[in-house]
Amino acid sequence: MPRIEPSTVAASYARAVLNATTDGAAGEAAPGAWASPLARLPFTEVRALWDTVIGTRGGDPYAGLRIGDAIAPGSLHVLGHVVLTSASLAEAVEAAVRYHPLVSQAGTVTAHRGGGTTLIRYRPTVDPATMHPQQVEAIVAGMVRAARWIAGDGWAPRSASFTHTRTGSAEPYARILGCPVAFDAPENAITVANRDLDRPRAPHDPELGALHRAYADRLLRELSASVTLAERVRRWLDHAPLDGAGPADAGRDVHLSPRTLRRALQEEGTSWRALLDDARHRRTRRLLETTDLPLDRIAPLVGLSGAAALVRAFSRWEGVTPGAYRGRTSGAAGCGRAASRAPDRRAGPGPG
């Protein structure tokens, strides 16, 4: 099933990475598109952000641990709010498995329940060689932090593991995760006692939780929809004011930054300019066919500077001028109307 972008990450999470490592200073200078909690960035951009973050600290091996431990609900898209309104850790884990793509499509979260414990795994969907170990550690530490929103700051998993080799001291891992940590392991995972997962949380707000889940489900459907991004942009343009529409406007509707939108359209073999040109063509034809508006009134409605620009554009689209096209279509419509008014003589003469 085709997706909008093979591996995108919520801009809210990217902003959290910046804020956690720069005390918020870099967040103020982040791209304007990141201001929307629904904006998304390609994984390649987020990887470049991590390059910068780790580089600024001289290859700090603990940057991921600190970022994950400092994560806030709003940084995890709507998933953070679903977790906060969960009735138990088990329900929060189920939400993490289901809604993690809203935070990042660069990896998956799965849960495997055994007799006394549950293994919660994180696996990259991108080439693991393109992901810093600190990125994986931030995700695992973030899962532990999110669990503590429900279970309390003193809570800890039974154990944690990473597939990569440890490059620093073991002490920060034990201190932040609060459990034994293994490296060079088969999985990136935490192991949680089932009794911790199943302990009811009181109080919690089931109605608010249902609202968050309904919203998350809608966003998840949009993110994984089989409709191509180009088609979604076409549908948006069909109802948008074309006199000032830009990729940032369309991007807000499909939850992508303008840069990501342009790149994803290019991967689908089209572009913002081509889709906008096609929308102007469709709307011009509709206005010529259904209204008597003069060309100098139609031009601004389709985002063109004036009647001369409209004539040039329409001649390129249709091979005829707008006037000729309108005359042809209105003539056909007129014939149709006349035919509908003509008496039907196929039944023979009426009573005499």
Side-chain angles (χ1 to χ4, degrees), residues 1-348:
M1 181 180 293
R3 290 186 173 187
I4 293 173
E5 170 74 22
S7 296
T8 61
V9 178
S12 57
Y13 186 81
R15 182 181 288 278
V17 172
L18 279 176
N19 289 347
T21 55
T22 61
D23 298 323
E28 296 301 318
W34 295 20
S36 168
L38 301 180
R40 302 189 69 84
L41 303 171
F43 171 76
T44 51
E45 287 187 25
V46 178
R47 161 66 195 228
L49 168 62
W50 275 94
D51 290 342
T52 301
V53 165
I54 295 171
T56 58
R57 299 205 178 238
D60 184 352
Y62 313 118
L65 279 176
R66 277 198 294 270
I67 289 169
D69 191 46
I71 210 74
S75 304
L76 299 182
H77 206 283
V78 69
L79 172 57
H81 301 291
V82 172
V83 169
L84 285 176
T85 53
S86 293
S88 65
L89 276 180
E91 190 173 291
V93 169
E94 182 273 330
V97 170
R98 179 174 179 80
Y99 300 121
H100 181 76
L102 294 177
V103 181
S104 173
Q105 293 171 295
T108 61
V109 174
T110 58
H112 303 269
R113 186 177 180 114
T117 61
T118 293
L119 186 68
I120 304 168
R121 297 170 173 164
Y122 173 77
R123 291 178 174 172
T125 54
V126 298
D127 180 356
T130 66
M131 186 175 281
H132 287 294
Q134 290 93 328
Q135 290 177 262
V136 175
E137 292 175 4
I139 292 160
V140 172
M143 290 195 293
V144 173
R145 171 50 56 194
R148 287 171 178 160
W149 300 338
I150 297 176
D153 287 340
W155 179 87
R158 287 280 188 89
S159 64
S161 63
F162 298 100
T163 60
H164 54 264
T165 300
R166 193 185 80 223
T167 57
S169 167
E171 187 277 331
Y173 294 91
R175 174 169 45 83
I176 291 176
L177 298 177
C179 64
V181 182
F183 293 85
D184 298 309
E187 301 282 357
N188 304 300
I190 58 174
T191 301
V192 181
N194 288 345
R195 66 173 179 271
D196 289 348
L197 289 178
D198 298 335
R199 187 176 297 120
R201 180 190 184 197
H204 86 284
D205 189 337
E207 292 184 0
L208 183 58
L211 289 174
H212 287 316
R213 282 176 176 267
Y215 180 50
D217 283 332
R218 179 172 72 80
L219 295 181
L220 197 61
R221 286 193 299 270
E222 292 177 2
L223 189 65
S224 59
S226 59
V227 177
T228 64
L229 175 61
E231 181 57 30
R232 292 178 65 188
V233 172
R234 281 192 196 95
R235 293 176 184 177
W236 182 84
L237 284 166
D238 278 341
H239 304 284
L242 299 181
D243 56 344
D249 305 303
R252 279 191 292 272
D253 188 73
V254 297
H255 318 314
L256 294 174
S257 70
R259 182 176 177 180
T260 303
L261 178 79
R262 290 182 185 276
R263 182 177 298 174
L265 289 175
Q266 184 178 17
E267 290 180 359
E268 291 186 6
T270 187
S271 67
W272 166 257
R273 180 172 294 183
L275 293 174
L276 179 60
D277 189 64
D278 186 50
R280 286 171 171 162
H281 180 193
R282 292 195 306 275
R283 191 166 301 183
T284 300
R285 283 195 312 189
R286 187 164 66 248
L287 290 170
L288 289 172
E289 293 167 4
T290 61
T291 76
D292 295 323
L293 290 173
L295 299 187
D296 60 354
R297 291 278 305 281
I298 291 177
L301 295 178
V302 298
L304 295 174
S305 59
L310 179 60
V311 170
R312 288 194 299 271
F314 199 82
S315 298
R316 171 171 57 84
W317 293 327
E318 293 285 341
V320 297
T321 65
Y325 180 86
R326 174 174 267 168
R328 186 174 68 197
T329 56
S330 63
C335 290
R337 287 191 295 270
S340 68
R341 291 194 299 267
D344 186 353
R345 295 185 171 85
R346 290 175 296 174

